[in-house]
Amino acid sequence: MIIDRREIERMLAAEGEAMQELFARAAAVRDETVGPVLYLRGLIEYSNICRKNCLYCGIRRENRSVARYRLTPDEVIAAARYAGERRFGSVVLQGGEITTEDHIACIESLVVRIKSLFPASPLGVTLSFGEQTEATYRRWFRAGAHRYLLRIESSSERLYRSIHPDDGLHRYEERLRALRALRRVGYQVGTGVMIGLPGQTLADLADDIVFMRDMDIDMCGMGPYVEAEGTPLVERCGPPPERDYRLAMALKMIAVLRLAMPDINIAAATALSSLSPDGRLDAVRCGANVVMPNLTPRRGKEAYRLYDDKSSAIDSRLLCERIGWGEWGDSLRFGKKNK
Ligand code: SAH
Ligand code: SF4
């Protein structure tokens, strides 16, 4: 069943009982399609050094109050070993966008080392290091990474421009190019958007859902926009909607995406927890099937502040869900496409 755009917009406007029904339907579709299983990805925040200057992001290049760090290879490997020993099945390596040969080679060798840690059942490896050349994506893929996260942030070119500097380094076209390159190389491709940006309309959000369906993505990570100290977004674009609105809208987006694309992986984004202690649990209850417990060593975790009060501790109630221990939990949709 294809849900048309008007129907998407109507669902996103749901409130009260209609919203609760939407959530319940999405959870049921998740259970019937990808199964009632929650997959864990140990999140390793490799470095907050970034060449970009996204207006919303706490670790943007021009935020001088941030102490910059990069984990050592041994710190990364220790975190990955922990993920394997705890039978998480997969890790996500994420960090600022750097395009130097040194950085590319470091990530490449880290992926090789992580893949060889548990030869009998190697960890799944997802990367998230922004826009890179197709050749770089290919090197990392050959090293053993098989999933990549790169959010479109907003599928509206107008909104994308409004939340990024106009300096030639933050181009919407370039972001699309990178997403297509990832697909060609053979990754399971994940994208997503921020919800509750200043100037974002219900129609924009409906377009985001249509965009993800048209792009035929395999995975999605999306969450609310959260204010970040030392960033100019609010000053430049105006205040975002109320926190409760952002939270409810983020959950509705997850639910509607689950109905629109039943067989993809959808993550319960960490940003949800910054707006509500129950944020990620609620996301799982309305269609998400992936969570990312943070395994970054403390010295990094404190400096990797994409937004304010990022609480990364996993709610123990999440672990009452049925967990896919030791499994990669690949995107079902990707599997079907590549049969
Ligand atoms: N540099 C990489 C990965 C790290 S940023 C990249 O940009 O892809 C990962 C995600 O954090 C971004 O895609 C963005 O959607 C999210 N993010 C950054 N600042 C945020 C904020 N203030 N509120 C909510 N999400 C934010
Ligand atoms: Fe860098 Fe990613 Fe933050 Fe943009 S969102 S400033 S690319 S870390």
Side-chain angles (χ1 to χ4, degrees):
M1 178 194 56
I2 297 277
I3 307 170
D4 72 19
R5 197 186 160 294
R6 276 202 11 241
E7 174 69 3
I8 291 172
E9 213 174 312
R10 201 188 56 75
M11 288 193 285
L12 290 175
E15 279 175 29
E17 213 168 290
M19 181 173 81
Q20 296 307 327
E21 271 166 31
L22 169 67
F23 293 166
R25 236 175 90 208
V29 165
R30 189 257 331 269
D31 290 353
E32 286 157 20
T33 315
V34 292
V37 180
L38 190 57
Y39 296 104
L40 304 181
R41 323 265 186 245
L43 176 63
I44 307 172
E45 293 155 338
Y46 173 67
S47 169
N48 64 358
I49 302 169
C50 189
R51 67 178 185 141
K52 282 211 171 149
N53 229 349
C54 307
L55 301 183
Y56 44 85
C57 178
I59 65 172
R60 65 199 298 270
R61 186 183 69 224
E62 278 175 18
N63 191 353
R64 306 255 181 269
S65 64
V66 174
R68 304 288 164 170
Y69 76 93
R70 182 167 85 163
L71 298 183
T72 64
D74 286 347
E75 284 175 315
V76 173
I77 297 306
R81 178 171 289 121
Y82 178 89
E85 283 164 355
R86 295 287 298 265
R87 302 197 16 91
F88 282 10
S90 296
V91 291
V92 179
L93 217 53
Q94 185 178 77
E97 185 177 301
I98 299 290
T99 53
T100 60
E101 168 56 29
D102 172 63
H103 174 74
I104 295 165
C106 279
I107 300 304
E108 185 179 31
S109 74
L110 281 171
V111 173
V112 170
R113 279 181 71 187
I114 292 170
K115 292 303 286 188
S116 62
L117 275 176
F118 300 93
S121 59
L123 285 164
V125 177
T126 307
L127 297 180
S128 180
F129 290 101
E131 292 162 19
Q132 304 285 342
T133 64
E134 185 162 339
T136 297
Y137 288 147
R138 185 160 285 120
R139 266 172 81 177
W140 291 344
F141 187 77
R142 290 208 176 117
H146 67 138
R147 299 188 283 237
Y148 202 100
L149 303 171
L150 181 68
R151 290 184 174 179
I152 187 71
E153 313 297 357
S154 169
S155 67
S156 151
E157 190 167 353
R158 166 192 61 82
L159 208 52
Y160 189 93
R161 282 167 185 258
S162 81
I163 62 172
H164 293 100
D166 179 19
D167 61 357
L169 189 62
H170 301 75
R171 291 177 47 235
Y172 181 79
E173 261 309 310
E174 191 55 29
R175 179 69 43 140
L176 289 179
R177 185 230 23 106
L179 284 168
R180 294 192 198 105
L182 287 164
R183 163 67 27 88
R184 271 196 301 276
V185 171
Y187 286 94
Q188 293 174 49
V189 177
T191 193
V193 296
M194 282 180 288
I195 297 148
L197 289 163
Q200 189 180 44
T201 64
L202 206 63
D204 290 326
L205 290 166
D207 288 342
D208 289 339
I209 300 277
V210 172
F211 172 88
M212 291 189 264
R213 192 168 59 192
D214 289 348
M215 287 283 289
D216 194 18
I217 60 164
D218 307 300
M219 326 181 284
C220 176
M222 60 181 167
Y225 163 69
V226 181
E227 294 86 340
E229 211 185 302
T231 61
L233 185 78
V234 173
E235 196 181 297
R236 302 250 189 107
C237 302
E242 295 293 326
R243 293 181 142 224
D244 284 352
Y245 170 93
R246 279 181 266 160
L247 192 61
M249 193 55 78
L251 295 175
K252 285 190 271 185
M253 283 289 284
I254 288 173
V256 171
L257 184 64
R258 175 59 72 196
L259 297 178
M261 303 186 78
D263 53 2
I264 64 171
N265 280 347
I266 303 179
T270 314
L272 287 161
S273 302
S274 288
L275 295 188
S276 155
D278 291 342
R280 275 182 292 185
L281 191 62
D282 289 342
V284 169
R285 290 181 177 156
C286 65
N289 69 327
V290 169
V291 280
M292 307 200 272
N294 195 324
L295 301 184
T296 313
R298 180 166 314 129
R299 98 181 160 89
K301 200 149 59 181
E302 281 164 6
Y304 194 85
R305 282 172 66 88
L306 300 172
Y307 36 81
D308 297 344
D309 25 76
K310 203 183 70 170
S311 64
S312 52
I314 277 289
D315 188 318
S316 59
R317 288 172 300 167
L318 275 169
L319 299 178
C320 300
E321 305 287 323
R322 204 192 299 168
I323 307 285
W325 294 113
E327 290 179 58
W328 284 4
D330 278 338
S331 163
L332 180 63
R333 187 181 192 88
F334 183 85
K336 287 183 195 160
K337 272 189 294 200
N338 292 278
K339 264 235 172 77

